[in-house]
Amino acid sequence: MASNRGVVYVGPGKVEVRNIDYPKFVDPRGRKINHGVILKVLVTNICGSDQHMVRGRTTAPAGLVLGHEITGEVVEIGSDVEFIKVGDLVSTPFNVACGRCRTCRERETGVCLTVNPGRAGGAYGYVDMGGWIGGQAEYVMIPYADFNLLKFPDKAQAMEKIQDLACLTDILPTGYHGCVNAGVTTGSTVLISGAGPVGLAAAASALLLGAGVVLIADFNKERLAHAASFGCETINLSEGGSIGERVEQILGVPEVDCAVDCVGFEARQRGGEEQPATVLNQLMGITRAAGRIGIPGLYVTEDPGAKDKAAQTGNLSLRFGLGWAKSHAFFTGQTPVLKYNHGLMMAILHDRIRIAKAVNTKVISLDDAPKGYAAFDKGVAEKFLIDPHGSLRKAA
Amino acid sequence: MASNRGVVYVGPGKVEVRNIDYPKFVDPRGRKINHGVILKVLVTNICGSDQHMVRGRTTAPAGLVLGHEITGEVVEIGSDVEFIKVGDLVSTPFNVACGRCRTCRERETGVCLTVNPGRAGGAYGYVDMGGWIGGQAEYVMIPYADFNLLKFPDKAQAMEKIQDLACLTDILPTGYHGCVNAGVTTGSTVLISGAGPVGLAAAASALLLGAGVVLIADFNKERLAHAASFGCETINLSEGGSIGERVEQILGVPEVDCAVDCVGFEARQRGGEEQPATVLNQLMGITRAAGRIGIPGLYVTEDPGAKDKAAQTGNLSLRFGLGWAKSHAFFTGQTPVLKYNHGLMMAILHDRIRIAKAVNTKVISLDDAPKGYAAFDKGVAEKFLIDPHGSLRKAA
Amino acid sequence: MASNRGVVYVGPGKVEVRNIDYPKFVDPRGRKINHGVILKVLVTNICGSDQHMVRGRTTAPAGLVLGHEITGEVVEIGSDVEFIKVGDLVSTPFNVACGRCRTCRERETGVCLTVNPGRAGGAYGYVDMGGWIGGQAEYVMIPYADFNLLKFPDKAQAMEKIQDLACLTDILPTGYHGCVNAGVTTGSTVLISGAGPVGLAAAASALLLGAGVVLIADFNKERLAHAASFGCETINLSEGGSIGERVEQILGVPEVDCAVDCVGFEARQRGGEEQPATVLNQLMGITRAAGRIGIPGLYVTEDPGAKDKAAQTGNLSLRFGLGWAKSHAFFTGQTPVLKYNHGLMMAILHDRIRIAKAVNTKVISLDDAPKGYAAFDKGVAEKFLIDPHGSLRKAA
Amino acid sequence: MASNRGVVYVGPGKVEVRNIDYPKFVDPRGRKINHGVILKVLVTNICGSDQHMVRGRTTAPAGLVLGHEITGEVVEIGSDVEFIKVGDLVSTPFNVACGRCRTCRERETGVCLTVNPGRAGGAYGYVDMGGWIGGQAEYVMIPYADFNLLKFPDKAQAMEKIQDLACLTDILPTGYHGCVNAGVTTGSTVLISGAGPVGLAAAASALLLGAGVVLIADFNKERLAHAASFGCETINLSEGGSIGERVEQILGVPEVDCAVDCVGFEARQRGGEEQPATVLNQLMGITRAAGRIGIPGLYVTEDPGAKDKAAQTGNLSLRFGLGWAKSHAFFTGQTPVLKYNHGLMMAILHDRIRIAKAVNTKVISLDDAPKGYAAFDKGVAEKFLIDPHGSLRKAA
C-alpha cells in the first residue's frame, strides 16, 4: 500500500515515470493536516499547460511530480473530513483552495490566498503554484477535501462516462469559463482561438451555452478537422486572407459577438514565429463593439525562453487603443473550477455534452505517459488520459 | 389595398373574422404618428393568453381585434422610420414599447410607461394594454418601428424557418424568460408547470440553456406525450403521488434547482377545480433552497369569472412562509421580448432549437381562426399559426 | 473557566439568566468536532426575531439558550482550525454554515445543507435551526470557525467601534441584503416598511448604497423620530391617507423604485389587528413597474399563535395579480451574512456608516437581558447589546 | 434668433470663439431629421478629452466646433419628438445614440452602431465621432431627443444645483462607470489614477458607492490637495517610494480591491516622460487577485504625436502576464451615460453627492473659453463651465 509511482519532470523535454513517496497528510510546508484525503487515482490527464514546463519554458525544478487533472477513489480520509467518505468517486479541481479565505468565500478559488506562500492561487504538480505534489501518479493527497472535491452521485453511472467526467478537473471548466467570461449565450457568434484541448473544450462549451455559430481558428489541420466533426466552423490560419475576411466569409460580417483566447503566450504568427500578443490583437480586431474577450490561455510573468526581451517578463505589445475604441472587456486568469464543475457534471451525466469525443480522449497507461507528452507536443489531436491502475482499460 | 380583415372578439366563447379598417398611422388616442410601419401580416399566432379574453375571463370589450404574435413584411413606413425599410421581413414583439421612457431605456419593454395610459405596459389586441389594434389580420400598424421590430437578415433563409421564427413574437421569449428568471443554466434540473405552448417553449428553452433534466407537469396526456418527444421527463398530474414523490422518482431527490410556472391564474387542482395558487404552492414545495421561480404564466388584477371572491381581485392564498424558509425568489410579469429575440433568432437560424416542432405548430387560414380558437380551448397539443395571405401554405 | 451563564427561554413571555454548560467541541448531534472555536462573548444582541420565540409564536422548547448575534474573543481553537487564532476578535454571522456543501460553495450560507437535519439553514439559539447553542452567554462554541468567523484587523481600532461592529452579526447585513435584493442603488427612492432595528439598519444601508430618498413607515412615533434623525423621510401609519398618497406627498409621485419589508408575518393593520399580508400588499401597491421587493422580514411555515387559520401554516392572501401586472420580483429568506460582512466591516471602520447610532444601541449587562427583552417588546426605539463580561462598559 | 457663436478648433494649441451656423434639423450626412431638438445652451463644459484635440494629438480638422458636455433648454422640437417639450431643461449625454440599433437596445449607447459611419460610437464636437456639431456654443441640435435627453423634473430646483447637474453630461457618469466596472462597492479600497476632473469625479463616485477608502494618485499637488478636501487619501507620485509602498503606508497592505485609470494614453512616468502603459502596469501591480480595473481614461487607435512608434498606432507594452496571474479583468471604452444619468441626477438633487465642489467647477463666459482651455492645459485644479448666455452668472 505504501508504494507509489508518478510522472516526474526531469529537465527540458524530458519526463520519466519514477517511484515516488506514498502521499502523507502533510502540506508543502511540512505541516500535518487533518482535512485531506488520499485518492487512488482513477484517471489523470496530460494538460497543455504541463507542456510549458516540459518544454523548459518555466522555472520548474527537476524532480517535480506533474499532474493537476485528477479523478479518483477515496482510500483514506483525515480526521476533519466530514462529508467525503472512503469509497467515494470524486473529481478534483486543478486549483488547490482552502475554502476559508476571502477569495475562496467569494468563489474565486483560482486565487486562494492561503495555499501558496508565493502568490495567490495553488495547483497540484505545477511550478510556482504552492508546491502541492502532482497527481499523474497512482496515489495523491488532496487537502481541504470536503471543500475541494466533487463527488459523483453514482459510481456505476460515473464509470460509464468516466472519460467525459475526467475532463471536469480542468479542461472543460476552463473552456467553459472562457466562454462565460466572453459573454457567450443563446445565439452568440463566437470565435475560439486555438484548437488544442482547451480550445475544443471551449467550442463544445459554447455550443452547450447555446451559441449560434462557433468558429475555431488554428494552424493545425488535424485539430480543425476534429472541431468540424462536432459542428464548428473552422479557420485554417495557414491559409490566405485576414482573420476578419475569413470570419466574414462564414458569417457575412467581419466580426463576432464573443472571442476566447485558448492559446496564451506561446502564440505564433503565420510564419511560425512566436509573437505572444498576436492572438489578443486579432481578437480585438474581430470582436464587436461592447464585446468581451475571455482569456483562459495562459500568460506568464516570467518566460525565460522568450526571444523578445519584453516577453521574458510577460510584457506584450497590445493594440489596446483598438480595444478601448470598441469598449472591449478582457477577462484573465486561472479558472475557479468549483464554480462550474457541479453543473457541468450534471450536463455530462445527462448527455448534454460529449466532451470526451470533442477533445478526442485517448486512454494510456502510466508507463506510456512520456510517449503521451511527446505525441501531444507534436500537436496530435488527442487528449491523453493516464490510467495508472488500468481501471479504465479493464472497464472498457 | 385599403381593405383588411381580422379576428374579432364578439363575446364570451365567440370570435369572428370580420372586415376591419386598413391600418393608419395613428395611435389609440387618435394622434398622428410618424414612427410606425404597416405590415402585411405573414403569420400571426393564437396565444393562450388570448383564451383568457375569449373565455370571458376578462373585461375585454366586444369588437376588439385580437392578435399580438405578429410576423410580417413591411409595406409602408412613416416619415421618421430610418432603419426599417419597405420589403423587410420582421418579427414584432408582442409588447408595444416606445424605446424612449425610463423603463424602455432599462430594457424593461414589458412595462413601457408611455404606450398605455392605464398602466405600465402595452400590447397589440389585448384588453387593458393600451388599445393597440391586434394583428390577427391581413394588415397591422406597428408603432416605434425602428425600436420595436427585429429584421430577419435574409428573407429566403427566413422563409425556410418561418414557423420557428413566428414563435419569436411571444411564446419562445416568454418560455425562455421564465427559464432565465428561474436561473436555468448548464446542468440544472428544472420543473416546468404546464405543457401548453408556453410550457413547451419553456421546456425547449431550458434545453437550449443547457439544463441537465427538464421535467414537465400537466393533466393533459397528449401534451405530455409531445413534450416527451423532444426529451422532457413528464409528470401526469392526473396520476397518483405528490409532485415531490414524482420528482424524486425521476431525479432521486424530491426537488429541482429551478421551477417555471407556465400555467397562471387559471390553475386547477387534481379534481379539476380552479385553485389559482396551486401551481405556485407546488413549486415552493419542490424548488431547492435558494432556488428561483420564474412565473411567465399570467396572474391578473381583475378576474370577474373566478369562483373565489379573493381571486376576483387577484388575491391568492400563497404558502409564502414556506418560500421564505427556503430563501426563494419569485419573478413575475410580461416578458420584455426585445431582450431576447435577437439571440433566439440566431439560435433558430443556426438550428440550435426547433421550436416549431416543440410547440407543434399548425398553419391555418384566417377564416379558420375561430376553429383554431375552439380546438386550442379543448387542449389540443397544437400551436395555431394563422396565415392570412396564404403565404406559408404556398411556400410549403 | 468551566462555568458559563446564558439567557434561557423558559416559556411564553419569559426568559431567565441561568447557569449553562461551558461550551464543548461537539455538534448538536453529539459528534466531536475539530473545526470549532470557543469564544469569550464580548457583546451579544437581542434580536427582533428572538421576540417571535419569546412571545410564544413558535414551537421553541423551554430551556433553549437564546442568542445568535455574537461578537467575541477566541479563547480556544479546535485542532483543524488553521487561520483563526486564540486572541482574535471576531464577528460571527448568525447563520451556522459548513462552507463545504453546494449552497455554501455558492455563497448561500443562509441555507447551508448540512448543519440542520430538519431543513436548509442553521442558526445559533433558534428554534428549528439545527439545535446550535445560543450565544447570549459568557461563552459559546462556533463551528467551522475558519469559514464562519470574520476577524477584525486591529483589536484596539475594533474596540473603538465595537457597538457598530456588533451589528455585523445580523441586523446590518440583514437590512443591507433587503436593500441589495430590492435593487437599491445610486439615486433610488426606497420605502422601508418597519422602523424596528432591522428597518433602521435597512434605512442606513440604503443611504450607504447611495439611495436618493429613503422613506420609512411604521406606527411607532418614537422609532420614526429616530429614523428622521439620520436623514429618513417618515410615514406614520397611524395617521390618515393611503400609503400611496403619503409617498406622493414626499416624492411627487405615488411610487418608489425599491421596497423592503422589514416587518414580516406579525404585520398589523391600522386598527392594530394582525394581517400578515398587509405589508407585502402595500409594497406591491407602491413599488414601480419592474421594481423589486426585498423581504428580510421573517415569514414562517408554522405560526400556531395566528388567529387566521391559513396563517397558522404560513399561508398569506397576497394580491399577487397586482405584483404580476407590475413585473415585480420578490426576494425572501435568511441573509447570507458572510456575503456582506467584510465590506460592511470596512465601511464601519472607515466611518462610512454609523449603524450603532442609526439603530440606537444600548449596552446592558447579562443580568439585565430579561429587562431588555421586555422593553424591546414594548417597542422602545433601542437595540440592546448584552455585555456579558462588562468589557464594553469598562471600555466606555 | 438665427445667429450662433461657438468655440472652434483652429489648430494645435489654438481655439477661437467664432460665429457659426444656427443649428438645423439635419444630420452630419445632410439628411433631414425629425427626431431632434434645438437647445439654447445653458452650460457647456471643457473636457479633458477636448485637450487631446487642442494639443494636436489627434487628426481633428481645423474648423471643428468643440463641446460634448451640454446642458440646455429646449427651444424647438422636431415633428417626431413626443415626450420632450419646448421649455424643458435637459441634460445631454455626450454620446450621440440612436436608441434603435442592437447596441443601444442593449444599453451600450457608447457604441451606437448608426450615428457614426466610421466606427461604433458618436459624440458631439469630437474627431472621428460622426461629425455631430459641438455644443460649446449658444445653440446646438440634439438628435433622437426623446431617447437621448434627460429632463430635470423641476426647473427651479435644477437651477439651484445647475453646476452639479452640468457634470451629468460626461464627467460624473464617466468617473462612476470606471468605479462600477472596477467593482467598487460597500467598503472597497479603491485607487484612482489621475486627479484631473474625471479622477476627482471617480473619487466622488467611489465614495457615493460606499467605498471604505479612496486613494488618488497624481503628480499635481494642487489637484491632490483638492481631492484631500473631500475625503480622499492622496499619493503624490513626484515623491519617493513605489506606488505599492505608498498604498501599504495608507492601508497596511500593498494592494487595493479596485483600481480606476483616469489618465489614459498621455500617461507620464516620474521623470515626466510619456509612457502610455505606465498607469495600467502600475494598476496591475497594486490591484488584488481577482480584482477589476476600470479604464475610463482614453486610449486611442491613432496618436501621431506619440514619440514611441508603437504608441502612434495605439500599441502599448503591457505587463499582461502579471494581470493574468492575478486573474484581473479590464474594462474599457466610452461610458454609456444614459445607463447612469437618471440615478446620478437623483443623487445630486437629494444632496447625496456634491460633484461641483469635488471637481471644483468654475463658471466662465463663452468669450473666455480660450483662456479656460489654456488654464486647464496648465493643470489648474478647476473644471470650466462655459455659460454662453450668462444665465448662471445671472442666477448666482
Side-chain angles (χ1 to χ4, degrees):
Chain A
M1 185 75 170
S3 80
N4 195 10
R5 297 171 71 235
V7 179
V8 175
Y9 170 65
V10 177
K14 196 161 180 202
V15 299
E16 285 179 7
V17 178
R18 292 188 178 173
N19 290 327
I20 61 172
D21 285 347
Y22 187 81
K24 294 181 198 67
F25 287 128
V26 290
D27 72 12
R29 283 171 269 185
R31 297 181 304 196
K32 176 102 181 73
I33 58 177
N34 299 316
H35 46 61
V37 302
I38 293 172
L39 293 190
K40 180 178 170 188
V41 178
L42 187 64
V43 50
T44 174
N45 320 326
I46 298 176
C47 177
S49 61
D50 291 329
Q51 297 286 359
H52 300 306
M53 287 189 285
V54 173
R55 282 182 199 132
R57 289 296 287 269
T58 71
T59 55
L64 187 151
V65 180
L66 295 162
H68 56 267
E69 303 195 357
I70 308 163
T71 307
E73 185 177 345
V74 178
V75 291
E76 200 173 335
I77 66 172
S79 60
D80 185 48
V81 177
E82 289 194 340
F83 305 113
I84 293 290
K85 303 294 179 200
V86 169
D88 285 351
L89 209 56
V90 294
S91 177
T92 313
F94 76 87
N95 331 275
V96 182
C98 74
R100 307 174 184 193
C101 69
R102 180 175 172 200
T103 54
C104 280
R105 284 173 179 172
E106 293 172 1
R107 306 191 76 183
E108 297 288 356
T109 52
V111 283
C112 171
L113 300 175
T114 70
V115 294
N116 181 354
R119 57 161 65 174
Y124 304 91
Y126 212 88
V127 59
D128 290 337
M129 295 300 273
W132 300 91
I133 296 166
Q136 289 174 5
E138 292 169 345
Y139 297 93
V140 67
M141 193 278 292
I142 307 299
Y144 305 103
D146 277 335
F147 180 69
N148 281 312
L149 293 174
L150 176 73
K151 181 185 165 179
F152 300 137
D154 182 283
K155 285 172 85 165
Q157 178 198 36
M159 285 309 294
E160 280 174 27
K161 293 180 189 288
I162 192 67
Q163 294 192 39
D164 295 275
L165 294 171
C167 300
L168 287 173
T169 52
D170 178 350
I171 189 174
L172 177 54
T174 293
Y176 185 86
H177 181 59
C179 289
V180 167
N181 278 342
V184 177
T185 186
T186 300
S188 304
T189 57
V190 187
L191 180 81
I192 312 286
S193 272
V198 169
L200 295 168
S205 296
L207 292 168
L208 181 61
L209 286 160
V213 188
V214 179
L215 300 86
I216 191 162
D218 203 313
F219 293 104
N220 182 320
K221 219 191 288 189
E222 189 192 356
R223 286 177 166 179
L224 290 171
H226 186 68
S229 77
F230 65 91
C232 299
E233 300 285 338
T234 61
I235 295 177
N236 186 332
L237 295 168
S238 310
E239 294 169 7
S242 73
I243 193 159
E245 289 163 356
R246 308 289 292 282
V247 168
E248 189 163 15
Q249 283 162 16
I250 296 166
L251 296 179
V253 290
E255 63 183 27
V256 291
D257 295 332
C258 313
V260 188
D261 171 359
C262 298
V263 174
F265 75 104
E266 294 195 42
R268 288 166 194 281
Q269 291 181 302
R270 194 174 290 168
E273 201 187 348
E274 270 195 30
Q275 222 299 31
T278 288
V279 167
L280 289 169
N281 287 338
Q282 280 178 345
L283 296 186
M284 286 187 250
I286 56 91
T287 302
R288 79 177 183 112
R292 299 159 55 136
I293 301 180
I295 310 172
L298 178 68
Y299 289 85
V300 293
T301 49
E302 309 288 333
D303 178 13
K307 281 182 193 163
D308 179 354
K309 198 164 173 187
Q312 288 175 11
T313 51
N315 279 274
L316 274 65
S317 180
L318 287 176
R319 199 163 180 218
F320 198 72
L322 178 60
W324 201 96
K326 296 173 82 173
S327 291
H328 286 161
F330 304 86
F331 297 82
T332 76
Q334 301 286 2
T335 297
V337 170
L338 214 54
K339 223 174 187 169
Y340 305 115
N341 64 0
H342 175 85
L344 289 167
M345 173 188 76
M346 291 295 283
I348 288 170
L349 293 176
H350 295 286
D351 293 319
R352 305 306 316 281
I353 185 170
R354 299 188 182 278
I355 186 64
K357 190 165 170 295
V359 301
N360 205 18
T361 52
K362 179 165 183 179
V363 177
I364 61 175
S365 70
L366 185 59
D367 288 317
D368 282 343
K371 285 186 205 160
Y373 271 90
F376 188 33
D377 193 46
K378 282 181 192 137
V380 295
E382 288 173 338
K383 168 78 176 173
F384 292 101
L385 273 51
I386 300 170
D387 174 19
H389 298 277
S391 324
L392 274 66
R393 286 161 293 164
K394 254 175 267 166
Chain B
M1 185 75 169
S3 80
N4 195 10
R5 299 172 71 235
V7 180
V8 175
Y9 171 65
V10 178
K14 197 160 178 204
V15 300
E16 284 179 7
V17 178
R18 293 187 176 172
N19 290 328
I20 61 173
D21 284 347
Y22 187 81
K24 295 180 197 68
F25 287 128
V26 292
D27 73 11
R29 282 170 270 185
R31 297 180 303 197
K32 174 101 180 75
I33 58 177
N34 299 315
H35 45 61
V37 303
I38 294 173
L39 293 189
K40 180 178 170 188
V41 178
L42 187 65
V43 51
T44 175
N45 321 326
I46 299 176
C47 177
S49 62
D50 292 330
Q51 297 286 1
H52 300 307
M53 287 188 286
V54 174
R55 282 182 199 131
R57 289 296 287 268
T58 71
T59 56
L64 186 150
V65 180
L66 295 163
H68 56 268
E69 304 195 357
I70 308 162
T71 307
E73 185 177 345
V74 178
V75 292
E76 199 173 335
I77 66 173
S79 60
D80 185 48
V81 177
E82 290 194 338
F83 305 113
I84 293 291
K85 303 295 179 200
V86 168
D88 285 350
L89 209 56
V90 295
S91 178
T92 312
F94 76 87
N95 331 276
V96 182
C98 73
R100 308 173 184 193
C101 69
R102 180 175 172 201
T103 54
C104 280
R105 284 173 178 172
E106 293 173 359
R107 306 191 76 183
E108 297 288 355
T109 52
V111 283
C112 172
L113 300 175
T114 71
V115 295
N116 181 355
R119 58 160 67 175
Y124 305 90
Y126 212 89
V127 59
D128 290 337
M129 295 300 272
W132 301 90
I133 296 166
Q136 290 174 5
E138 291 169 348
Y139 297 93
V140 69
M141 194 278 291
I142 307 298
Y144 306 102
D146 278 334
F147 180 71
N148 280 314
L149 292 174
L150 176 73
K151 181 184 165 179
F152 300 137
D154 181 283
K155 284 171 85 164
Q157 179 199 34
M159 285 308 294
E160 280 173 28
K161 295 183 188 285
I162 193 65
Q163 294 192 39
D164 296 275
L165 294 170
C167 299
L168 286 173
T169 53
D170 179 350
I171 187 175
L172 177 55
T174 294
Y176 185 85
H177 181 59
C179 289
V180 167
N181 278 341
V184 176
T185 186
T186 300
S188 303
T189 57
V190 186
L191 181 83
I192 312 287
S193 272
V198 169
L200 295 168
S205 296
L207 291 167
L208 182 62
L209 286 161
V213 188
V214 179
L215 300 86
I216 191 162
D218 204 311
F219 293 104
N220 181 320
K221 219 191 289 189
E222 188 192 355
R223 288 176 165 180
L224 290 171
H226 185 68
S229 78
F230 65 91
C232 299
E233 300 284 339
T234 61
I235 296 177
N236 187 332
L237 295 167
S238 310
E239 295 170 7
S242 73
I243 193 159
E245 289 164 355
R246 308 290 291 281
V247 168
E248 190 163 16
Q249 283 162 16
I250 296 167
L251 296 179
V253 290
E255 63 183 26
V256 292
D257 294 332
C258 312
V260 187
D261 172 358
C262 298
V263 174
F265 75 102
E266 293 195 43
R268 288 165 194 281
Q269 292 182 302
R270 195 174 289 169
E273 200 188 348
E274 270 195 31
Q275 221 298 29
T278 288
V279 167
L280 289 170
N281 287 337
Q282 279 178 345
L283 296 185
M284 287 187 251
I286 57 90
T287 301
R288 79 177 182 114
R292 299 159 57 137
I293 300 180
I295 310 171
L298 179 67
Y299 289 85
V300 294
T301 49
E302 307 288 334
D303 178 14
K307 283 183 193 162
D308 178 354
K309 196 163 177 187
Q312 288 175 11
T313 52
N315 281 274
L316 274 65
S317 180
L318 288 175
R319 197 163 182 218
F320 198 72
L322 178 60
W324 202 97
K326 295 174 83 173
S327 291
H328 287 160
F330 304 85
F331 297 82
T332 77
Q334 301 285 2
T335 296
V337 170
L338 214 53
K339 222 174 186 169
Y340 306 115
N341 64 358
H342 175 86
L344 289 167
M345 173 187 76
M346 292 294 284
I348 288 171
L349 292 176
H350 295 286
D351 293 319
R352 305 307 314 282
I353 185 170
R354 298 188 182 279
I355 185 66
K357 191 167 170 293
V359 301
N360 206 17
T361 53
K362 179 165 185 180
V363 177
I364 61 175
S365 70
L366 185 59
D367 287 318
D368 282 343
K371 285 185 206 161
Y373 271 92
F376 187 33
D377 193 45
K378 283 181 192 136
V380 295
E382 287 172 340
K383 168 78 177 173
F384 292 101
L385 274 50
I386 300 170
D387 173 20
H389 298 276
S391 324
L392 274 66
R393 285 159 296 164
K394 255 175 266 164
Chain C
M1 184 76 171
S3 81
N4 195 11
R5 297 171 71 236
V7 180
V8 175
Y9 170 66
V10 177
K14 196 160 178 204
V15 299
E16 286 178 6
V17 178
R18 293 189 176 172
N19 290 327
I20 61 172
D21 285 347
Y22 186 82
K24 296 181 197 69
F25 288 129
V26 292
D27 73 12
R29 283 171 269 186
R31 297 181 302 197
K32 175 101 180 71
I33 59 177
N34 299 316
H35 45 63
V37 302
I38 293 172
L39 293 189
K40 181 179 170 188
V41 177
L42 186 64
V43 50
T44 174
N45 321 325
I46 298 177
C47 178
S49 62
D50 292 330
Q51 298 284 3
H52 301 307
M53 287 187 287
V54 173
R55 283 182 198 132
R57 289 295 288 268
T58 70
T59 55
L64 186 148
V65 180
L66 294 163
H68 56 269
E69 304 195 358
I70 307 162
T71 306
E73 185 177 345
V74 178
V75 292
E76 198 174 336
I77 66 172
S79 60
D80 184 48
V81 178
E82 289 193 341
F83 304 113
I84 294 291
K85 304 294 179 200
V86 169
D88 285 351
L89 208 56
V90 295
S91 177
T92 312
F94 77 87
N95 331 276
V96 182
C98 73
R100 308 174 183 193
C101 69
R102 180 176 171 199
T103 55
C104 281
R105 284 174 178 170
E106 293 172 2
R107 306 191 76 185
E108 298 288 356
T109 51
V111 282
C112 171
L113 300 176
T114 71
V115 294
N116 181 354
R119 58 160 67 173
Y124 305 90
Y126 212 89
V127 59
D128 289 339
M129 294 300 273
W132 300 90
I133 295 165
Q136 289 173 4
E138 292 169 345
Y139 297 93
V140 68
M141 194 278 291
I142 306 299
Y144 304 103
D146 277 335
F147 179 70
N148 281 313
L149 292 174
L150 176 72
K151 180 185 165 179
F152 300 137
D154 182 283
K155 284 172 87 165
Q157 178 198 36
M159 284 309 294
E160 281 173 28
K161 295 182 188 286
I162 192 67
Q163 294 191 40
D164 296 275
L165 294 170
C167 299
L168 287 173
T169 53
D170 178 349
I171 188 175
L172 176 55
T174 294
Y176 185 87
H177 181 59
C179 288
V180 167
N181 279 342
V184 177
T185 186
T186 299
S188 303
T189 57
V190 187
L191 181 82
I192 312 287
S193 271
V198 169
L200 295 168
S205 296
L207 291 168
L208 182 62
L209 286 161
V213 188
V214 178
L215 300 85
I216 190 161
D218 203 313
F219 293 103
N220 182 320
K221 220 190 287 189
E222 187 192 356
R223 288 177 165 179
L224 290 171
H226 186 68
S229 77
F230 65 91
C232 300
E233 300 285 339
T234 61
I235 295 177
N236 187 331
L237 294 168
S238 308
E239 295 170 6
S242 74
I243 193 159
E245 290 163 357
R246 307 290 291 281
V247 169
E248 190 163 17
Q249 283 162 16
I250 297 167
L251 296 179
V253 290
E255 62 183 27
V256 291
D257 295 332
C258 313
V260 187
D261 171 358
C262 298
V263 174
F265 76 103
E266 293 195 44
R268 287 167 194 281
Q269 291 181 303
R270 195 174 289 169
E273 200 188 349
E274 271 196 30
Q275 222 298 30
T278 288
V279 168
L280 289 169
N281 287 337
Q282 279 179 342
L283 296 186
M284 287 187 251
I286 56 90
T287 302
R288 80 176 182 114
R292 300 158 55 137
I293 300 179
I295 310 171
L298 178 67
Y299 289 85
V300 294
T301 49
E302 309 287 333
D303 177 14
K307 282 182 193 162
D308 179 354
K309 197 165 175 187
Q312 288 176 11
T313 52
N315 280 274
L316 275 66
S317 181
L318 288 175
R319 199 163 180 217
F320 198 72
L322 178 60
W324 201 96
K326 295 174 84 173
S327 291
H328 287 161
F330 304 85
F331 297 82
T332 77
Q334 301 286 1
T335 296
V337 171
L338 214 53
K339 224 175 185 168
Y340 305 115
N341 63 359
H342 174 85
L344 289 167
M345 173 188 74
M346 291 294 285
I348 289 171
L349 292 176
H350 295 285
D351 293 319
R352 306 306 316 280
I353 185 170
R354 298 187 182 278
I355 186 65
K357 190 166 171 296
V359 301
N360 205 16
T361 52
K362 179 166 185 179
V363 177
I364 60 175
S365 70
L366 184 60
D367 287 318
D368 282 343
K371 286 185 205 162
Y373 271 91
F376 188 33
D377 193 44
K378 283 180 194 137
V380 295
E382 289 173 336
K383 168 79 178 175
F384 293 101
L385 273 50
I386 301 169
D387 174 20
H389 298 276
S391 325
L392 273 67
R393 286 160 294 164
K394 254 174 269 167
Chain D
M1 184 74 171
S3 81
N4 195 11
R5 297 171 72 235
V7 180
V8 174
Y9 169 66
V10 178
K14 198 161 178 201
V15 299
E16 286 178 7
V17 178
R18 293 188 176 173
N19 290 327
I20 61 172
D21 285 346
Y22 187 82
K24 296 181 197 67
F25 288 129
V26 291
D27 73 11
R29 281 171 270 186
R31 296 180 303 197
K32 174 103 181 74
I33 58 179
N34 299 316
H35 45 62
V37 303
I38 293 173
L39 294 189
K40 180 178 170 188
V41 177
L42 186 65
V43 51
T44 173
N45 322 326
I46 299 177
C47 177
S49 62
D50 291 329
Q51 298 285 3
H52 301 307
M53 286 188 286
V54 174
R55 284 183 197 130
R57 290 295 289 268
T58 70
T59 55
L64 187 150
V65 180
L66 295 163
H68 57 268
E69 303 196 358
I70 307 163
T71 306
E73 185 177 345
V74 178
V75 292
E76 200 175 333
I77 66 171
S79 60
D80 185 48
V81 177
E82 291 194 338
F83 305 113
I84 293 291
K85 303 294 178 202
V86 169
D88 285 350
L89 209 56
V90 294
S91 177
T92 312
F94 76 88
N95 331 275
V96 182
C98 73
R100 307 175 183 192
C101 70
R102 179 176 172 201
T103 54
C104 281
R105 285 173 177 170
E106 294 172 1
R107 307 192 76 185
E108 297 288 355
T109 52
V111 283
C112 171
L113 299 176
T114 71
V115 295
N116 181 354
R119 57 160 68 173
Y124 305 91
Y126 213 90
V127 59
D128 290 338
M129 295 300 273
W132 300 90
I133 295 165
Q136 289 174 5
E138 292 169 346
Y139 297 93
V140 68
M141 194 278 292
I142 306 298
Y144 305 102
D146 277 334
F147 180 69
N148 281 313
L149 292 174
L150 176 73
K151 180 185 166 179
F152 300 137
D154 181 282
K155 283 172 86 165
Q157 177 198 38
M159 284 310 294
E160 281 173 29
K161 295 181 188 285
I162 192 67
Q163 295 191 39
D164 296 274
L165 293 170
C167 300
L168 286 173
T169 53
D170 179 348
I171 187 175
L172 177 55
T174 294
Y176 186 86
H177 181 59
C179 289
V180 167
N181 279 342
V184 176
T185 186
T186 300
S188 303
T189 57
V190 186
L191 181 81
I192 312 287
S193 271
V198 169
L200 295 169
S205 296
L207 291 168
L208 182 61
L209 286 161
V213 189
V214 178
L215 300 85
I216 190 161
D218 203 313
F219 293 103
N220 182 319
K221 222 191 284 189
E222 188 192 356
R223 289 178 164 178
L224 290 171
H226 186 68
S229 77
F230 65 90
C232 299
E233 300 285 339
T234 61
I235 295 177
N236 186 332
L237 294 168
S238 308
E239 295 170 6
S242 73
I243 193 160
E245 289 163 357
R246 307 290 291 282
V247 169
E248 189 163 17
Q249 283 162 17
I250 296 167
L251 295 180
V253 291
E255 63 182 27
V256 291
D257 294 333
C258 312
V260 187
D261 172 358
C262 297
V263 174
F265 75 103
E266 294 195 43
R268 288 168 193 280
Q269 291 181 302
R270 194 174 290 169
E273 201 187 349
E274 271 195 29
Q275 223 299 30
T278 288
V279 168
L280 289 169
N281 286 338
Q282 279 177 344
L283 296 186
M284 286 187 250
I286 55 92
T287 302
R288 81 177 182 112
R292 299 158 57 136
I293 300 179
I295 310 171
L298 178 67
Y299 289 85
V300 294
T301 50
E302 308 288 333
D303 178 13
K307 283 183 193 163
D308 179 354
K309 199 165 173 185
Q312 288 176 11
T313 51
N315 280 275
L316 275 65
S317 181
L318 288 175
R319 198 164 182 218
F320 198 73
L322 177 61
W324 202 97
K326 294 173 84 173
S327 290
H328 287 161
F330 304 86
F331 297 83
T332 78
Q334 302 285 2
T335 296
V337 170
L338 214 53
K339 224 175 185 167
Y340 306 115
N341 63 359
H342 175 85
L344 289 166
M345 173 189 74
M346 292 294 284
I348 288 170
L349 293 176
H350 295 287
D351 293 319
R352 306 306 315 282
I353 185 169
R354 299 189 182 278
I355 186 66
K357 190 165 171 295
V359 302
N360 205 18
T361 52
K362 179 167 184 178
V363 177
I364 61 175
S365 70
L366 185 59
D367 288 317
D368 283 343
K371 286 184 205 161
Y373 271 91
F376 188 32
D377 193 44
K378 283 181 192 136
V380 295
E382 288 173 337
K383 169 77 179 175
F384 292 100
L385 273 50
I386 302 170
D387 173 20
H389 299 275
S391 326
L392 273 66
R393 284 160 296 163
K394 254 174 270 167

